[in-house]
Amino acid sequence: MPDKHLSTQFDSELNSVSSRVMELGGMVESQIGLAIYALSQFSAEAADQVTEMEHRVNAAEIEIDRELSSIIARRQPTARDLRLLIAISKTTANLERVGDEANKIARMVKSIIESGNARSLPSTDLRVAADLASGLLRKALDAFARLDTAAAVSILKEDDLIDREFDGFVRKLITYMMEDPRTISASLDLLFLAKAIERIGDHAKNIAEFIIYIVKGADVRHTSMEEIESAVQ
């Protein structure tokens, strides 16, 4: 009976911290949504809202990390439970970094608004990549909640789409700069934005890799897609 009681408490603590991670994910998704709106509409108000949310995201990340440290110290989990706690910690860190990227986008949007230089450049092209990155993060959080390895593999494949969008946008910006050197400064601003969007996709990809680590105990970083698909079978 005591073992069962301790197990029940541990499960309750795991469920609690997992719920906190999903709440953090929701906050970060809101940040991204506001950042995308700020970018597409050149809205300083939306950009300010992104920045205002930053302290809430940081505080949530610190609290989750503190709770995880307490669970590990008190419960001394082993095997799959320990993998889950480690992956939750890494997922939390990646979500906080996504918030950082959203905040970078917001700050750069405000800079662009103040300069007035970027409206003639293809900033709307970034919306496609931004929507892909936001959607990928949403899928990663959903897969994490269900520990769905098949969905995780699909997310890893989709990240390539964001990378291709980024590469295509960079080529377009280079063309603009070559044709009109006066656009170089504004083009570099947009390049900064594009890189932040790409990084959001990278963090979603990291979360997908953590799912596979939890379920299969396999570290699939820096491995081929064929090896990853073999690991989850």
mmCIF file of all heavy atoms in Angstrom, residues 100-122:
data_model
loop_
_atom_site.group_PDB
_atom_site.id
_atom_site.type_symbol
_atom_site.label_atom_id
_atom_site.label_comp_id
_atom_site.label_asym_id
_atom_site.label_seq_id
_atom_site.Cartn_x
_atom_site.Cartn_y
_atom_site.Cartn_z
ATOM 1 N N ASP A 100 11.527 33.973 -26.518
ATOM 2 C CA ASP A 100 12.596 34.931 -26.819
ATOM 3 C C ASP A 100 12.583 35.321 -28.294
ATOM 4 O O ASP A 100 12.776 36.493 -28.638
ATOM 5 C CB ASP A 100 13.963 34.336 -26.470
ATOM 6 C CG ASP A 100 14.203 34.250 -24.967
ATOM 7 O OD1 ASP A 100 13.477 34.921 -24.207
ATOM 8 O OD2 ASP A 100 15.124 33.509 -24.559
ATOM 9 N N GLU A 101 12.376 34.325 -29.163
ATOM 10 C CA GLU A 101 12.350 34.608 -30.602
ATOM 11 C C GLU A 101 11.147 35.492 -30.957
ATOM 12 O O GLU A 101 11.264 36.412 -31.778
ATOM 13 C CB GLU A 101 12.293 33.304 -31.410
ATOM 14 C CG GLU A 101 13.488 32.384 -31.226
ATOM 15 C CD GLU A 101 14.814 33.007 -31.629
ATOM 16 O OE1 GLU A 101 14.821 33.965 -32.435
ATOM 17 O OE2 GLU A 101 15.854 32.542 -31.124
ATOM 18 N N ALA A 102 10.003 35.225 -30.335
ATOM 19 C CA ALA A 102 8.826 36.062 -30.571
ATOM 20 C C ALA A 102 9.101 37.493 -30.127
ATOM 21 O O ALA A 102 8.705 38.458 -30.793
ATOM 22 C CB ALA A 102 7.613 35.499 -29.826
ATOM 23 N N ASN A 103 9.811 37.620 -29.004
ATOM 24 C CA ASN A 103 10.146 38.949 -28.508
ATOM 25 C C ASN A 103 11.128 39.658 -29.441
ATOM 26 O O ASN A 103 11.043 40.878 -29.657
ATOM 27 C CB ASN A 103 10.745 38.834 -27.101
ATOM 28 C CG ASN A 103 10.688 40.139 -26.338
ATOM 29 O OD1 ASN A 103 9.760 40.929 -26.488
ATOM 30 N ND2 ASN A 103 11.692 40.390 -25.519
ATOM 31 N N LYS A 104 12.060 38.903 -30.023
ATOM 32 C CA LYS A 104 12.981 39.478 -31.001
ATOM 33 C C LYS A 104 12.211 40.020 -32.202
ATOM 34 O O LYS A 104 12.504 41.106 -32.715
ATOM 35 C CB LYS A 104 13.982 38.429 -31.473
ATOM 36 C CG LYS A 104 15.044 38.048 -30.461
ATOM 37 C CD LYS A 104 15.946 36.963 -31.037
ATOM 38 C CE LYS A 104 16.923 36.435 -29.997
ATOM 39 N NZ LYS A 104 17.740 35.324 -30.549
ATOM 40 N N ILE A 105 11.232 39.236 -32.667
ATOM 41 C CA ILE A 105 10.414 39.670 -33.800
ATOM 42 C C ILE A 105 9.695 40.969 -33.453
ATOM 43 O O ILE A 105 9.656 41.920 -34.245
ATOM 44 C CB ILE A 105 9.403 38.570 -34.189
ATOM 45 C CG1 ILE A 105 10.134 37.348 -34.749
ATOM 46 C CG2 ILE A 105 8.385 39.107 -35.208
ATOM 47 C CD1 ILE A 105 9.239 36.132 -34.955
ATOM 48 N N ALA A 106 9.129 41.018 -32.243
ATOM 49 C CA ALA A 106 8.393 42.215 -31.822
ATOM 50 C C ALA A 106 9.303 43.439 -31.778
ATOM 51 O O ALA A 106 8.929 44.526 -32.245
ATOM 52 C CB ALA A 106 7.764 41.975 -30.451
ATOM 53 N N ARG A 107 10.493 43.268 -31.216
ATOM 54 C CA ARG A 107 11.422 44.401 -31.135
ATOM 55 C C ARG A 107 11.835 44.881 -32.530
ATOM 56 O O ARG A 107 11.929 46.093 -32.781
ATOM 57 C CB ARG A 107 12.659 44.018 -30.321
ATOM 58 C CG ARG A 107 12.401 43.767 -28.847
ATOM 59 C CD ARG A 107 13.685 43.881 -28.034
ATOM 60 N NE ARG A 107 14.769 43.091 -28.581
ATOM 61 C CZ ARG A 107 15.040 41.833 -28.232
ATOM 62 N NH1 ARG A 107 14.273 41.220 -27.332
ATOM 63 N NH2 ARG A 107 16.061 41.183 -28.756
ATOM 64 N N MET A 108 12.082 43.927 -33.423
ATOM 65 C CA MET A 108 12.499 44.309 -34.765
ATOM 66 C C MET A 108 11.357 44.974 -35.533
ATOM 67 O O MET A 108 11.585 45.919 -36.302
ATOM 68 C CB MET A 108 12.998 43.083 -35.523
ATOM 69 C CG MET A 108 13.587 43.408 -36.895
ATOM 70 S SD MET A 108 14.900 44.653 -36.835
ATOM 71 C CE MET A 108 16.157 43.761 -35.912
ATOM 72 N N VAL A 109 10.126 44.501 -35.322
ATOM 73 C CA VAL A 109 8.976 45.131 -35.966
ATOM 74 C C VAL A 109 8.877 46.593 -35.533
ATOM 75 O O VAL A 109 8.647 47.490 -36.364
ATOM 76 C CB VAL A 109 7.677 44.380 -35.631
ATOM 77 C CG1 VAL A 109 6.446 45.217 -35.996
ATOM 78 C CG2 VAL A 109 7.625 43.047 -36.363
ATOM 79 N N LYS A 110 9.063 46.848 -34.250
ATOM 80 C CA LYS A 110 9.017 48.236 -33.772
ATOM 81 C C LYS A 110 10.123 49.071 -34.410
ATOM 82 O O LYS A 110 9.910 50.240 -34.776
ATOM 83 C CB LYS A 110 9.132 48.273 -32.246
ATOM 84 C CG LYS A 110 7.904 47.736 -31.529
ATOM 85 C CD LYS A 110 7.851 48.192 -30.084
ATOM 86 C CE LYS A 110 7.584 49.664 -29.987
ATOM 87 N NZ LYS A 110 7.400 50.121 -28.592
ATOM 88 N N SER A 111 11.303 48.470 -34.570
ATOM 89 C CA SER A 111 12.407 49.178 -35.212
ATOM 90 C C SER A 111 12.081 49.495 -36.669
ATOM 91 O O SER A 111 12.363 50.594 -37.168
ATOM 92 C CB SER A 111 13.684 48.333 -35.129
ATOM 93 O OG SER A 111 14.744 48.929 -35.835
ATOM 94 N N ILE A 112 11.456 48.528 -37.347
ATOM 95 C CA ILE A 112 11.075 48.727 -38.748
ATOM 96 C C ILE A 112 10.013 49.823 -38.870
ATOM 97 O O ILE A 112 10.058 50.667 -39.767
ATOM 98 C CB ILE A 112 10.572 47.408 -39.357
ATOM 99 C CG1 ILE A 112 11.743 46.427 -39.515
ATOM 100 C CG2 ILE A 112 9.892 47.652 -40.707
ATOM 101 C CD1 ILE A 112 11.318 45.037 -39.932
ATOM 102 N N ILE A 113 9.049 49.802 -37.941
ATOM 103 C CA ILE A 113 8.004 50.824 -37.956
ATOM 104 C C ILE A 113 8.622 52.217 -37.799
ATOM 105 O O ILE A 113 8.268 53.173 -38.503
ATOM 106 C CB ILE A 113 6.978 50.566 -36.833
ATOM 107 C CG1 ILE A 113 6.177 49.298 -37.132
ATOM 108 C CG2 ILE A 113 6.032 51.757 -36.673
ATOM 109 C CD1 ILE A 113 5.288 48.852 -35.990
ATOM 110 N N GLU A 114 9.558 52.317 -36.859
ATOM 111 C CA GLU A 114 10.186 53.611 -36.592
ATOM 112 C C GLU A 114 11.025 54.103 -37.775
ATOM 113 O O GLU A 114 11.066 55.291 -38.073
ATOM 114 C CB GLU A 114 11.055 53.508 -35.340
ATOM 115 C CG GLU A 114 10.240 53.332 -34.064
ATOM 116 C CD GLU A 114 11.098 52.927 -32.873
ATOM 117 O OE1 GLU A 114 12.341 52.848 -33.035
ATOM 118 O OE2 GLU A 114 10.531 52.693 -31.789
ATOM 119 N N SER A 115 11.690 53.144 -38.464
ATOM 120 C CA SER A 115 12.533 53.537 -39.599
ATOM 121 C C SER A 115 11.722 53.805 -40.861
ATOM 122 O O SER A 115 12.082 54.635 -41.688
ATOM 123 C CB SER A 115 13.573 52.453 -39.884
ATOM 124 O OG SER A 115 12.952 51.287 -40.407
ATOM 125 N N GLY A 116 10.620 53.059 -41.014
ATOM 126 C CA GLY A 116 9.782 53.207 -42.198
ATOM 127 C C GLY A 116 10.420 52.713 -43.475
ATOM 128 O O GLY A 116 9.972 53.055 -44.572
ATOM 129 N N ASN A 117 11.448 51.872 -43.353
ATOM 130 C CA ASN A 117 12.200 51.462 -44.540
ATOM 131 C C ASN A 117 11.741 50.159 -45.180
ATOM 132 O O ASN A 117 12.107 49.882 -46.316
ATOM 133 C CB ASN A 117 13.692 51.308 -44.172
ATOM 134 C CG ASN A 117 14.341 52.642 -43.875
ATOM 135 O OD1 ASN A 117 13.944 53.653 -44.415
ATOM 136 N ND2 ASN A 117 15.328 52.618 -42.992
ATOM 137 N N ALA A 118 10.981 49.359 -44.453
ATOM 138 C CA ALA A 118 10.770 47.991 -44.930
ATOM 139 C C ALA A 118 9.438 47.760 -45.630
ATOM 140 O O ALA A 118 9.189 46.667 -46.127
ATOM 141 C CB ALA A 118 10.896 47.010 -43.762
ATOM 142 N N ARG A 119 8.581 48.735 -45.699
ATOM 143 C CA ARG A 119 7.259 48.502 -46.269
ATOM 144 C C ARG A 119 7.304 48.147 -47.756
ATOM 145 O O ARG A 119 6.407 47.501 -48.270
ATOM 146 C CB ARG A 119 6.364 49.727 -46.045
ATOM 147 C CG ARG A 119 6.016 49.927 -44.583
ATOM 148 C CD ARG A 119 5.105 51.122 -44.370
ATOM 149 N NE ARG A 119 4.811 51.312 -42.968
ATOM 150 C CZ ARG A 119 3.806 50.739 -42.309
ATOM 151 N NH1 ARG A 119 3.013 49.904 -42.944
ATOM 152 N NH2 ARG A 119 3.607 50.967 -41.038
ATOM 153 N N SER A 120 8.356 48.578 -48.435
ATOM 154 C CA SER A 120 8.468 48.267 -49.858
ATOM 155 C C SER A 120 9.134 46.915 -50.108
ATOM 156 O O SER A 120 9.210 46.464 -51.253
ATOM 157 C CB SER A 120 9.278 49.360 -50.566
ATOM 158 O OG SER A 120 10.589 49.420 -50.037
ATOM 159 N N LEU A 121 9.578 46.246 -49.047
ATOM 160 C CA LEU A 121 10.237 44.949 -49.181
ATOM 161 C C LEU A 121 9.244 43.820 -48.920
ATOM 162 O O LEU A 121 8.155 44.049 -48.384
ATOM 163 C CB LEU A 121 11.415 44.875 -48.199
ATOM 164 C CG LEU A 121 12.571 45.820 -48.531
ATOM 165 C CD1 LEU A 121 13.606 45.786 -47.423
ATOM 166 C CD2 LEU A 121 13.211 45.452 -49.855
ATOM 167 N N PRO A 122 9.605 42.598 -49.298
ATOM 168 C CA PRO A 122 8.643 41.482 -49.222
ATOM 169 C C PRO A 122 8.442 40.931 -47.820
ATOM 170 O O PRO A 122 8.575 39.736 -47.569
ATOM 171 C CB PRO A 122 9.292 40.429 -50.137
ATOM 172 C CG PRO A 122 10.752 40.660 -49.980
ATOM 173 C CD PRO A 122 10.898 42.167 -49.881
#
